[in-house]
């Protein structure tokens, strides 16, 4: 990018802020050129740049009229009126990356601050749990990763996945009232189909948590036929469930605020406050399940989730706490 392009980009960011600060949607171009100490033609170029990014702006002879902003995961949109204080204060947005978790890890190793958010419109190698891939087509889903630096023992890090799942369930609940469930530890379901997943990755040094990356993938506006054949019967999107398009920017912002609240409670008091709600959203409690973790296989009734975020399975003889694994409901 050359200097002129860079300047135009900066001007378009400032122009956007100026437009949004105004109580009316109409602004005189002459006034803007005085404000930004530039000529009207440059103001028009900056407005055209915003239009090319999806902003609906009418460019009249002497004024511009702001109509609407695009639902794009950009720093400008995600940061605009964001109400969280830590999570999302630094935002890196990409068009296409292999995996936002990988970028977040690199940024964290380079010293990125707690709460840094990485988003992408598309992932070419999105990663899921248990070595699976995460289908991440452009423009329709949400793919984001958050860097955390909690001062907790590494073995408590799974609790972060649990509170992320809870914050996400609370965010999705008003969109699909009564339909959102958490399949322990952190799959989000609508009915029996998966709508979102969480991949939490910990980097520890000498038994101390260095940083944690919480990666979240949400199927938002995908049509069901866009899912690969092998997951089509098990996947869903918010659009499929609600029969309407869902705004991604507002969804991310709501999530960040809810996640921050859960995170602050978690680092001061652990899972205590979150557990009743986590249990309320759980799709597993009371169900006959089999949990597979490595070579181990435990079958029984999923009875509860404990303060360490473990699933408690009632077998014929014992109550067994399980920290990680893949759960199948045996019905
Ligand atoms: C799962 O349910 O298997 C977890 C899926 C996690 C997907 C998200 S998308 C953003 C972040 N980047 C990745 O590569 N994975 C996570």
């Amino acid at each position: 990018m050359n200097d002129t392009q860079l300047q135009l980009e900066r001007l378009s960011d400032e122009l956007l802020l100026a437009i949004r600060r105004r109580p009316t949607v109409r602004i005189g171009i002459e006034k803007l050129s005085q404000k930004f100490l530039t000529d009207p033609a440059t103001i028009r170029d900056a407005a055209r740049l915003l239009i090319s990014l999806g902003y609906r702006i009418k460019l009249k002879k002497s004024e511009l009229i702001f109509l609407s902003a695009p639902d794009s995961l950009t720093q400008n949109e995600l940061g605009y009126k964001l109400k969280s204080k830590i999570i999302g204060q630094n935002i890196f947005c990409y068009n296409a990356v292999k995996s936002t978790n990988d970028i977040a890890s690199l940024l964290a190793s380079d010293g990125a601050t707690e709460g840094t958010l990485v988003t992408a419109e598309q992932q070419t190698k999105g990663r899921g749990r248990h070595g699976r891939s995460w289908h991440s087509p452009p423009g329709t889903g949400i793919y984001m990763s958050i860097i955390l630096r909690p001062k907790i023992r590494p073995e408590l890090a799974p609790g972060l996945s649990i509170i992320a799942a809870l914050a996400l369930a609370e965010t999705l609940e008003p969109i699909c009232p009564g339909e959102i469930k958490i399949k322990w530890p952190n799959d989000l379901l609508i009915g029996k189909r998966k709508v979102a997943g969480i991949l939490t990755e910990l980097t520890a040094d000498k038994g101390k948590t260095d940083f944690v990356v919480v990666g979240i993938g949400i199927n938002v506006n995908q049509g069901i036929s866009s899912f690969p054949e092998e997951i089509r019967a098990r996947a869903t999107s918010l659009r499929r469930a609600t029969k309407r398009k869902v705004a991604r920017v507002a969804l991310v912002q709501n999530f960040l605020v809810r996640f921050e609240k859960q995170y602050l409670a978690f680092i001061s008091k652990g899972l205590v406050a979150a557990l009743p709600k986590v249990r309320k959203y759980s799709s597993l409690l009371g169900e006959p399940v089999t949990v597979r973790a490595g070579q181990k296989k435990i079958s029984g009734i999923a009875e509860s989730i404990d303060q360490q975020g473990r699933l408690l399975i009632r077998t014929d003889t014992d109550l067994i706490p399980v920290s990680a694994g893949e759960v199948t409901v045996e019905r």
Side-chain angles (χ1 to χ4, degrees):
M1 193 182 291
N2 63 34
D3 273 5
T4 325
Q5 276 170 320
L6 202 66
Q7 270 172 9
L8 195 63
E9 205 162 277
R10 282 207 190 115
L11 178 64
S12 70
D13 284 349
E14 284 176 35
L15 180 63
L16 185 61
L17 277 177
I19 294 173
R20 282 181 148 164
R21 248 184 247 125
R22 304 262 312 188
T24 64
V25 293
R26 303 175 106 91
I27 311 188
I29 291 176
E30 191 57 50
K31 222 176 181 179
L32 286 167
S33 65
Q34 281 164 16
K35 177 177 167 66
F36 292 113
L37 306 174
T38 186
D39 55 295
T42 310
I43 295 290
R44 285 176 174 280
D45 285 345
R48 279 192 202 98
L49 182 57
L50 290 173
I51 292 169
S52 76
L53 296 173
Y55 291 87
R56 287 179 52 237
I57 296 172
K58 260 195 193 157
L59 257 177
K60 300 276 201 190
K61 211 165 160 217
S62 60
E63 62 180 8
L64 53 83
I65 305 172
F66 183 77
L67 298 175
S68 67
D71 189 37
S72 316
L73 304 184
T74 58
Q75 219 180 12
N76 278 338
E77 289 313 300
L78 292 170
Y80 180 61
K81 291 193 174 168
L82 177 62
K83 292 198 177 72
S84 54
K85 302 274 177 301
I86 308 163
I87 311 289
Q89 286 311 296
N90 268 324
I91 307 181
F92 293 82
C93 298
Y94 297 87
N95 214 3
V97 296
K98 281 188 181 163
S99 154
T100 55
N101 266 33
D102 294 349
I103 304 275
S105 271
L106 284 174
L107 289 169
S109 306
D110 256 11
T113 53
E114 164 142 288
T116 298
L117 171 73
V118 179
T119 70
E121 287 287 354
Q122 176 185 14
Q123 293 185 121
T124 51
K125 281 213 169 98
R127 296 188 286 109
R129 290 170 66 231
H130 308 294
R132 298 200 188 99
S133 61
W134 184 258
H135 179 58
S136 313
T140 49
I142 292 172
Y143 322 111
M144 62 180 166
S145 302
I146 298 166
I147 298 171
L148 301 173
R149 297 185 179 279
K151 292 183 182 61
I152 56 167
R153 295 194 311 277
E155 59 272 26
L156 297 180
L160 293 167
S161 297
I162 304 249
I163 56 151
L166 173 59
L168 194 50
E170 289 179 332
T171 308
L172 301 185
E173 175 62 28
I175 301 174
C176 298
E179 292 193 71
I180 302 294
K181 290 278 166 204
I182 301 173
K183 182 177 172 220
W184 181 91
N186 48 23
D187 283 354
L188 274 286
L189 306 183
I190 296 177
K192 290 204 163 101
R193 290 169 182 257
K194 182 157 163 172
V195 69
I198 296 165
L199 176 67
T200 300
E201 296 179 306
L202 168 95
T203 299
D205 190 22
K206 298 184 191 106
K208 266 189 162 174
T209 303
D210 188 2
F211 61 83
V212 178
V213 171
V214 179
I216 297 130
I218 313 171
N219 300 330
V220 183
N221 290 319
Q222 289 95 329
I224 198 70
S225 56
S226 77
F227 288 105
E229 183 77 47
E230 63 275 18
I231 59 167
R232 205 169 291 162
R234 287 174 286 121
T236 191
S237 68
L238 295 173
R239 181 171 144 205
R240 180 181 187 270
T242 59
K243 314 263 180 306
R244 61 182 171 83
K245 223 176 149 203
V246 173
R248 294 178 306 157
V249 170
L251 198 163
V252 173
Q253 290 184 325
N254 284 338
F255 171 75
L256 297 178
V257 171
R258 288 181 188 277
F259 181 60
E260 177 168 291
K261 194 169 157 227
Q262 295 296 344
Y263 178 61
L264 293 175
F266 175 74
I267 49 178
S268 71
K269 293 204 177 78
L271 284 177
V272 165
L275 273 184
K277 291 182 210 149
V278 169
R279 292 184 188 125
K280 186 191 96 187
Y281 278 111
S282 174
S283 68
L284 296 180
L285 300 187
E287 297 288 332
V289 296
T290 297
V291 187
R292 289 177 185 79
Q295 306 290 18
K296 272 198 189 155
K297 197 170 132 181
I298 301 160
S299 293
I301 304 291
E303 191 168 292
S304 193
I305 295 164
D306 74 5
Q307 298 219 355
Q308 288 160 60
R310 300 176 301 183
L311 185 65
L312 302 177
I313 314 264
R314 175 75 62 188
T315 65
D316 290 341
T317 50
D318 291 303
L319 186 62
I320 303 180
V322 182
S323 320
E326 186 148 28
V327 186
T328 319
V329 178
E330 304 294 349
R331 268 192 216 273

